[in-house]
Amino acid sequence: MNGPARHVSARRLFLAGAIGLALWLGVTFLWHVTYRQGLSLPVILLLDQDFPALSGSVLLLALAAPWAEGKGFALPAPTARIVVPLILLLGMVAWAGHYALFQDYSISRDEEVARFAAAYMREGLFARPIPIEWEPYRRAIMPEFFSPFGAADYWTAAYLPVNSAIQAIFWQLGDPNLAGPVLLMGGLFALWRVALHLMPDRPDAVWVTILLGFSSSQLWVTAMTPYAMTGHFALNMIWLALVLRGGALGHLAAGVVALIAAGLHQWHFPPIFIAPFILWMLLARRWTVAAFHALTLVAIVIVWAKLWPGFLLHALGAPTDVRPSAGVADKVGSLFERLGDRWQPLVNLSRYFAWNNILMVPLAALGMAAMRWRRVISGQEIALPLTLGCLAGCVLALAQGYGWGFRYAHGFIGPFCLLAGLGWARCRPEGAMRPVLIGVMITALSSAFLVWRTHEFVAPYAASHKLIESSQADVVLVDPRGGLYVTDLVRGRNGVPGKPMVMNLGMLTLDQVDALCASYVVELFDRAEFRPLGVPLARWNLGRMDALRAHMKEAGCDRPVQPPLPETFEDALNAADNAM
């Protein structure tokens, strides 16, 4: 690697980053809050988590600017003896965090569907047969994100199977919640190897790269969940490490990794990451390698957009209930449709900036600006595909619903960190690590705040789920009116529907409610139960569900969910907080 193109002082870096992020945050607040476009979930999370975290980080960055220059603590060479134990430690933190932070609960429907599929895969099934007695209520039990193939007889996740299959493997080994932490460790290891390959003569730049990765709240908090995005981060980095390794074996292995990554949950994510590298290969006149990876993209479409739906059609039956949506035309059409009505770059990227190291974006901007354009044209500048990928991940800023950070750009955290390392190597003196250490400390404070707010946000839903699970009834009907995203509480136990069978009351007819009340022990879970647990208030239109509830009350079928009675006197005292 050549010497730095020009020196950028840490003071200017801090001030430029603080000003740029403050302006972004100000415009976001004006657009979504002051002149708000509707109080959506992203805006709720912005106000509760991202705005205070990013505002505090920006303020500290500006205040630290006068003292940013300097060497700081000397770091040893980033060898395996030091880096690998740190990666293992972070993986252990992510595994423990699923239980401590998320209370062994997956809040979103996306996560629940992934775990649902893992449960039936663990049993050697491609779908879960719907018991005959529950077929009339199948949509109330599985309200969304189900595959249309054979949907009259089977419950099948709408997502592609690889993420769930990985969880099923770890489930067989003891704990499906190990899948995310292990993938996180694999991705961080590959990130370290890529940084060593790209910057072999700048150990400080390698440290910058991996410290940005280690300090990313988005990386290690998302690894606590069943989201597929941890797999995208890991496999993207492994793919890049294999491509840079080179040789027939490296590229063949990279092709296999790309094919696996495309099957994690939606097949279009890896092509967005890989396509800029194919351009980079073409500029370098590496025709054979570029053609191989282009054929890999074709194979991705054939396998996951054609053969997999065809297999489901053959194995499960024709689509019912909803139209199929796994085809290429459907995917492209859905993308453009969502870009038209769900494109929210301000609020989503604010979340991305808040959940990653405060210096990630400023340093990555240095890496982009330091590109040598003659080397770009000749295909010798790897910053080009990294930049194009990062820009694509940020431009496609579609509304994501839940997510810790902006998960649709999760697979590009590695490229952002690598660009930051390249920017550091080209624009900063070797060994002057004080600004990065300051950035890590600021980010640690921000991360502590985000972890606290995440726990507070998840806790009411986890408590609600445990209350529903404790019911001794045959059926629990969830009336979601009055609560934010209460419909996501309609789920089974550990991904398996069973007793109590939980249903969305709003998806049942009057006759179905009568049939349930006549044949089963039925309990209701509504705002009388979930509001005291802290679930945020939401306004709902009443209408038809008022009539349902009035009918159930008249029929004496509106008993609320109650926790089981204490088995011992000591348990009773504990339940009453020793009030006696």
Side-chain angles (χ1 to χ4, degrees):
M1 181 136 194
N2 298 331
R6 62 186 181 276
H7 176 74
V8 176
S9 74
R11 179 176 177 274
R12 289 184 177 180
L13 176 68
F14 275 38
L15 290 176
I19 292 170
L21 291 172
L23 288 173
W24 180 278
L25 196 58
V27 172
T28 301
F29 190 87
L30 286 172
W31 179 256
H32 285 285
V33 181
T34 305
Y35 306 107
R36 76 182 181 189
Q37 307 298 301
L39 198 61
S40 61
L41 178 61
V43 176
I44 293 171
L45 295 177
L46 170 76
L47 295 174
D48 184 71
Q49 299 173 6
D50 312 328
F51 188 83
L54 193 53
S55 297
S57 295
V58 167
L59 177 61
L60 290 174
L61 194 66
L63 292 175
W67 298 276
E69 198 63 76
K71 286 191 172 295
F73 295 103
L75 295 176
T79 60
R81 183 173 59 86
I82 297 172
V83 173
V84 171
L86 291 174
I87 291 174
L88 290 172
L89 178 62
L90 201 58
M92 292 171 63
V93 169
W95 177 65
H98 176 79
Y99 298 94
L101 175 58
F102 286 98
Q103 301 159 71
D104 196 19
Y105 180 71
S106 302
I107 188 170
S108 71
R109 180 68 64 189
D110 303 73
E111 299 165 85
E112 167 59 19
V113 166
R115 185 56 51 86
F116 173 82
Y120 61 68
M121 288 182 187
R122 184 190 179 210
E123 299 173 24
L125 303 173
F126 288 108
R128 184 165 298 283
I130 303 173
I132 294 176
E133 63 179 309
W134 300 119
E135 281 190 356
Y137 313 100
R138 61 185 184 274
R139 291 288 70 86
I141 298 170
M142 177 71 75
E144 56 185 342
F145 293 176
F146 57 87
S147 168
F149 297 104
D153 302 301
Y154 296 94
W155 284 311
T156 314
Y159 290 135
L160 296 174
V162 172
N163 179 44
S164 295
I166 294 171
Q167 292 183 51
I169 291 170
F170 280 95
W171 208 336
Q172 287 292 91
L173 295 174
D175 188 354
N177 299 307
L178 280 169
V182 170
L183 287 168
L184 172 67
M185 291 188 288
L188 289 173
F189 184 86
L191 176 65
W192 166 61
R193 296 303 303 173
V194 171
L196 283 175
H197 180 94
L198 296 180
M199 298 165 282
D201 57 346
R202 287 295 300 267
D204 60 326
V206 175
W207 269 120
V208 169
T209 302
I210 57 180
L211 283 174
L212 294 184
F214 287 170
S215 59
S216 167
S217 305
Q218 178 168 335
L219 277 183
W220 48 264
V221 172
T222 301
M224 300 174 185
T225 73
Y227 273 125
M229 294 305 168
T230 303
H232 283 297
F233 162 74
L235 296 182
N236 281 357
M237 287 298 95
I238 293 170
W239 181 90
L240 182 54
L242 290 168
V243 166
L244 293 177
R245 178 189 183 276
L249 183 60
H251 288 289
L252 284 172
V256 173
V257 168
L259 202 59
I260 294 171
L264 280 167
H265 83 303
Q266 294 192 55
W267 58 261
H268 67 273
F269 281 98
I272 295 172
F273 175 80
I274 294 170
F277 287 95
I278 295 176
L279 173 63
W280 172 62
M281 295 167 188
L282 290 172
L283 290 172
R285 300 178 184 275
R286 300 169 64 194
W287 311 117
T288 303
V289 172
F292 170 77
H293 289 289
L295 287 174
T296 300
L297 299 189
V298 174
I300 284 172
V301 175
I302 292 173
V303 170
W304 295 117
K306 297 296 183 182
L307 296 181
W308 178 253
F311 166 76
L312 292 178
L313 179 65
H314 174 75
L316 304 179
T320 55
D321 288 344
V322 295
R323 69 179 180 86
S325 58
V328 179
D330 287 310
K331 181 66 66 178
V332 174
S334 173
L335 178 62
F336 279 101
E337 181 181 339
R338 295 175 70 193
L339 279 172
D341 62 9
R342 299 184 66 189
W343 190 57
Q344 298 177 329
L346 292 172
V347 67
N348 289 323
L349 294 182
S350 295
R351 193 154 180 78
Y352 197 55
F353 302 154
W355 282 77
N356 284 284
N357 189 291
I358 190 63
L359 290 179
M360 185 185 76
V361 172
L363 284 174
L366 278 187
M368 297 176 189
M371 279 192 286
R372 302 170 177 87
W373 292 102
R374 289 184 180 179
R375 291 171 58 85
V376 167
I377 295 171
S378 60
Q380 300 177 58
E381 184 63 85
I382 197 170
L384 174 66
L386 294 173
T387 297
L388 292 177
C390 290
L391 292 176
C394 290
V395 167
L396 298 175
L398 304 174
Q400 64 173 4
Y402 291 110
W404 315 111
F406 181 50
R407 57 189 170 92
Y408 288 166
H410 199 86
F412 296 97
I413 293 176
F416 264 105
C417 293
L418 290 167
L419 277 172
L422 291 170
W424 179 273
R426 291 176 178 175
C427 300
R428 293 286 302 152
E430 185 171 356
M433 293 292 289
R434 183 189 292 176
V436 174
L437 298 175
I438 291 174
V440 169
M441 287 190 288
I442 293 173
T443 302
L445 293 173
S446 174
S447 297
F449 172 81
L450 290 171
V451 164
W452 168 55
R453 296 313 303 156
T454 298
H455 181 275
E456 293 297 301
F457 188 84
V458 172
Y461 296 95
S464 297
H465 176 64
K466 288 176 182 176
L467 180 59
I468 291 172
E469 274 195 331
S470 72
S471 171
Q472 301 301 302
D474 300 313
V475 175
V476 171
L477 302 180
V478 175
D479 182 344
R481 295 174 301 164
L484 185 68
Y485 294 97
V486 177
T487 53
D488 289 342
L489 291 168
V490 178
R491 58 179 68 192
R493 181 182 280 107
N494 293 324
V496 182
K499 187 175 180 179
M501 189 65 79
V502 188
M503 305 184 193
N504 186 336
L505 178 62
M507 302 184 78
L508 296 172
T509 65
L510 191 63
D511 289 341
Q512 286 177 320
V513 170
D514 280 341
L516 288 171
C517 291
S519 304
Y520 302 98
V521 176
V522 176
E523 290 183 345
L524 269 166
F525 183 79
D526 64 7
R527 57 190 162 201
E529 283 74 48
F530 61 69
R531 286 293 296 146
L533 294 174
V535 171
L537 180 67
R539 294 179 180 176
W540 278 70
N541 293 327
L542 302 177
R544 187 179 65 87
M545 290 181 68
D546 274 345
L548 273 176
R549 289 297 304 273
H551 179 77
M552 292 176 69
K553 183 177 180 64
E554 185 178 339
C557 187
D558 63 341
R559 187 177 69 176
V561 170
Q562 297 292 338
L565 293 173
E567 295 183 2
T568 66
F569 183 70
E570 183 179 353
D571 291 339
L573 285 177
N574 291 333
D577 288 331
N578 293 306
M580 298 176 64

